[in-house]
Amino acid sequence: MPDLDRCVTLLVAAGIPSGIEKADLIDPAKVAIRLAGGRGFVKLAMHPHANALMHREVAAYAGPPPCAPFRRPGLLGSHDHGDWGAIWLTFEPGRVLTRWNALSPRPGPYEGAPSGLRPVRAILHDPLPPRFEKHRLRLLDRFADEPVRCGPIHGDFVYWNVLDGPAGPMLLDYEYFEPQAPSSQDRLQWTLLPLLRRAALWGTVPSVLAGTAVVPLATLLLPRGTARPALELALFLLRYATRLEEQQAEPDIADLYARPTRRIQQRLLALIDGILGRVVP
């Protein structure tokens, strides 16, 4: 349970109406608050890492909205206090989609936005954490000049970030929005990430089996005529694994999460590492 008295104090400090209708602890670093009287929804970032993610979300709202039929809440305000922060959005009615929705492939919410081609060498310009650096170098060795379509992506396009609302699907949580990334990333994440997380939770799916199955699945998920589905898949896996690896490597961030969560993330990282070794041998 979140500390409601502290939440009220922070709302007042942020200049946000403090009448709380409902408050939920998203994780140890974030509290989701529905304000009374329909005055909106607030996400309190209770840790510097969560506050840094909130900065990215605020920046995303300054960028293009998702393409139809997707919509997003309106930004009413934000507050940055260094070690904590708040983002204030319009409250949007709807229900969170069930996990079974991930089994129905969908285009990414920004696929209709303007995009362009970038070579792999530009996408993979920066070194990655040691475990995944070998995969980056292998991709550069084989595909450095290969063009990849890039544009804005939501970056966390999964069923729990979509509300089925009365006016159409409402897209939430822009903490990992990127203005320029491979356009296929959201489409792949929608189905592949829930499956990979489930495999990591079970802990019984060997990377040999997963690596064999995941390329044909990615081929089905990507737009027809995609020239190099294995490359698009590898870019997606590297991007997501790098995010997890950086969180694991930073003690102040890793300590936010319970040990079972960290164990599952470690299994997921090991699984992705093994899959990448087979996707791009």
Side-chain angles (χ1 to χ4, degrees), residues 190-203:
W190 178 261
T191 297
L192 286 184
L193 181 56
L195 291 176
L196 291 171
R197 284 168 59 99
R198 184 63 54 179
L201 183 63
W202 290 336

Side-chain angles (χ1 to χ4, degrees), residues 178-257:
E178 292 184 45
Q180 278 294 320
S183 301
S184 62
Q185 303 296 278
D186 282 339
R187 182 187 286 256
L188 289 172
Q189 186 172 35
W190 178 261
T191 297
L192 286 184
L193 181 56
L195 291 176
L196 291 171
R197 284 168 59 99
R198 184 63 54 179
L201 183 63
W202 290 336
T204 57
V205 180
S207 59
V208 176
L209 176 60
T212 302
V214 78
V215 175
L217 177 57
T219 302
L220 291 174
L221 298 175
L222 291 166
R224 184 177 299 177
T226 299
R228 296 194 182 277
L231 172 60
E232 301 278 358
L233 171 62
L235 292 173
F236 162 71
L237 293 173
L238 276 179
R239 176 187 171 277
Y240 185 74
T242 298
R243 181 204 304 180
L244 285 187
E245 187 86 331
E246 289 174 346
Q247 292 175 0
Q248 293 273 322
E250 177 56 56
D252 286 346
I253 299 173
D255 288 346
L256 286 173
Y257 303 101

Side-chain angles (χ1 to χ4, degrees), residues 47-249:
H47 182 276
H49 171 65
N51 197 30
L53 292 177
M54 189 201 70
H55 291 170
R56 296 181 60 167
E57 187 160 9
V58 171
Y61 275 91
C67 302
F70 290 98
R71 300 162 54 243
R72 69 182 180 190
L75 177 64
L76 298 176
S78 63
H79 179 81
D80 176 16
H81 201 269
D83 58 345
W84 69 274
I87 183 169
W88 181 17
L89 305 168
T90 55
F91 173 73
E92 304 295 340
R95 60 177 182 85
V96 176
L97 299 181
T98 68
R99 67 186 184 190
W100 303 111
N101 284 267
L103 300 179
S104 299
R106 355 185 20 158
Y110 286 90
E111 284 192 22
S115 61
L117 296 176
R118 297 180 70 200
V120 169
R121 70 169 70 253
I123 298 169
L124 297 179
H125 177 268
D126 298 323
L128 298 181
R131 188 189 334 202
F132 296 100
E133 177 66 2
K134 62 183 184 290
H135 301 302
R136 182 185 79 96
L137 295 176
R138 188 180 299 115
L139 287 175
L140 286 175
D141 184 57
R142 293 188 56 182
F143 302 111
D145 296 317
E146 186 75 21
V148 174
R149 184 155 298 281
C150 293
I153 65 167
H154 178 266
D156 207 7
F157 185 52
V158 279
Y159 62 85
W160 56 81
N161 283 332
V162 179
L163 291 179
D164 183 12
M170 179 67 61
L171 193 57
L172 310 174
D173 203 351
Y174 282 77
E175 293 177 346
Y176 294 101
F177 175 87
E178 292 184 45
Q180 278 294 320
S183 301
S184 62
Q185 303 296 278
D186 282 339
R187 182 187 286 256
L188 289 172
Q189 186 172 35
W190 178 261
T191 297
L192 286 184
L193 181 56
L195 291 176
L196 291 171
R197 284 168 59 99
R198 184 63 54 179
L201 183 63
W202 290 336
T204 57
V205 180
S207 59
V208 176
L209 176 60
T212 302
V214 78
V215 175
L217 177 57
T219 302
L220 291 174
L221 298 175
L222 291 166
R224 184 177 299 177
T226 299
R228 296 194 182 277
L231 172 60
E232 301 278 358
L233 171 62
L235 292 173
F236 162 71
L237 293 173
L238 276 179
R239 176 187 171 277
Y240 185 74
T242 298
R243 181 204 304 180
L244 285 187
E245 187 86 331
E246 289 174 346
Q247 292 175 0
Q248 293 273 322

